[in-house]
Amino acid sequence: MKVVLFCGGLGLRMRDYSDALPKPMVPIGTRPILWHLMRYYAHYGHKDFILCLGHKGHVIKDFFLKYDECVSNDFVLSEGAKRLELLRRDIDDWRITFVDTGSTSNIGQRLLAVRRFLRDEEMFLANYSDGLTDCPLPEITDRLAASDATAAFMAARPNTSFHFVRHDTAGRVTRVDNVEDADLWVNAGYFAFRQEIFDYIVPGEELVEEPFQRLIDARRLLVHEHTGFWRGCDTFKDLQTLEAAQSSGPAPWEVWRDPQDTVQDNSVPTHRAVGFAAA
């Protein structure tokens, strides 16, 4: 299945970075968020990507045009640095289509802009390009394939330390819940669509508003609740959490990593001990 990645947003909540970089290019370790996400999809066999570019799209193009495999792969250097042998590769079998979809377009508009590249796809995948997860992708795609629904997406617990307050019309508090007890879920931005999704989108509409409401009314929208790791990267606190997980490694979203290739320092907590619940 082809993978549509929405890479054109302004990333206003990451202002210090987004002035110089599009949000998907904010680095986690040696690679940007976008690379980690693409590597996740490639692990499950989906290596044909369509990048919906917008804000500072030239930065994304430049990254791949000047891509250096040595940065994220082990290699052997010999013959006085004249011979380089990569011990593994990552993007050599990827196919990437770069499409300018406008600097101010919403997600629905961006998806319509790349429709011509998806005409032969019975099903395809899409992502906001700003969050990482360890969710087994077939749990989403297989569920959609086995149903008569048009779309499915992953929902996760929100990354927040706020408490949710319930009250009556007189303003008297009836309940205070933390995130885990409130039984609330958020759209995590991992989508699977059938081709019919385009029948539900009117030009100019935001994808998860009017089109999704039509799907809901038709009972053609599925959700997959993922209780494992997911973190959206909307703030610097989110970025710091992802960086901490990646530096202690292997990070939970690095499903492509072979545990036998990872040397774990027992003096450093693994990702299971890093505080992923918002502090």
Side-chain angles (χ1 to χ4, degrees):
M1 282 180 271
K2 291 186 177 181
V3 184
V4 178
L5 299 176
F6 304 115
C7 307
L10 296 177
L12 296 178
R13 283 174 289 183
M14 296 282 285
R15 171 62 69 182
D16 288 351
Y17 264 119
S18 62
D19 281 343
L21 296 172
K23 186 177 178 181
M25 293 302 292
V26 171
I28 300 175
T30 60
R31 293 300 194 196
I33 297 173
L34 179 61
W35 179 91
H36 290 267
L37 185 63
M38 295 170 76
R39 191 69 182 80
Y40 165 87
Y41 281 109
H43 171 74
Y44 291 105
H46 309 296
K47 303 178 182 181
D48 194 340
F49 301 97
I50 301 171
L51 305 189
C52 299
L53 305 179
H55 175 65
K56 296 189 180 295
H58 66 280
V59 177
I60 298 175
K61 291 180 179 179
D62 193 57
F63 171 77
F64 286 104
L65 286 172
K66 298 178 179 177
Y67 192 82
D68 184 359
E69 293 250 38
C70 297
V71 172
S72 53
N73 293 293
D74 296 337
F75 60 91
V76 176
L77 196 64
S78 60
E79 299 179 11
K82 295 178 182 179
R83 178 181 174 84
L84 188 149
E85 177 187 357
L86 284 164
L87 299 181
R88 68 180 64 192
R89 308 183 71 93
D90 42 49
I91 76 166
D92 62 311
D93 58 349
W94 295 3
R95 184 175 187 270
I96 308 173
T97 302
F98 299 82
V99 184
D100 184 355
T101 56
S103 59
T104 61
S105 302
N106 62 37
I107 297 299
Q109 291 171 314
R110 295 188 194 283
L111 186 56
L112 286 177
V114 299
R115 181 178 184 178
R116 65 188 186 277
F117 299 106
L118 299 164
R119 294 192 186 282
D120 297 329
E121 299 293 302
E122 179 183 353
M123 289 176 54
F124 63 92
L125 304 167
N127 199 289
Y128 285 153
S129 303
D130 64 356
L132 298 170
T133 187
D134 63 356
C135 179
L137 188 58
E139 291 185 0
I140 303 173
T141 55
D142 290 354
R143 185 171 186 180
L144 178 61
S147 74
D148 64 351
T150 298
F153 67 95
M154 189 186 92
R157 297 291 190 183
N159 298 318
T160 176
S161 58
F162 295 122
H163 286 81
F164 297 97
V165 179
R166 304 176 191 273
H167 59 85
D168 60 23
T169 56
R172 296 183 182 275
V173 175
T174 59
R175 185 170 176 177
V176 177
D177 294 322
N178 62 32
V179 172
E180 294 181 355
D181 296 335
D183 194 29
L184 295 174
W185 298 83
V186 297
N187 168 20
Y190 283 69
F191 302 99
F193 295 118
R194 294 187 188 275
Q195 186 67 215
E196 302 90 75
I197 185 62
F198 293 107
D199 297 335
Y200 290 84
I201 306 175
V202 173
E205 291 180 340
E206 175 57 78
L207 177 66
V208 299
E209 295 178 4
E210 298 93 344
F212 269 29
Q213 186 57 55
R214 294 185 189 105
L215 289 173
I216 293 169
D217 293 341
R219 297 186 60 80
R220 301 293 296 275
L221 182 62
L222 296 177
V223 65
H224 172 71
E225 293 181 351
H226 180 57
T227 57
F229 176 84
W230 170 78
R231 189 86 186 195
C233 192
D234 290 322
T235 66
F236 282 109
K237 183 176 181 178
D238 294 328
L239 179 59
Q240 289 171 341
T241 299
L242 293 172
E243 287 177 334
Q246 202 275 336
S247 63
S248 64
W253 66 84
E254 294 178 321
V255 293
W256 60 89
R257 294 277 292 272
D258 184 345
Q260 294 182 350
D261 292 342
T262 303
V263 177
Q264 190 67 260
D265 182 352
N266 292 329
S267 67
V268 179
T270 67
H271 67 262
R272 297 303 178 191
V274 173
F276 289 118

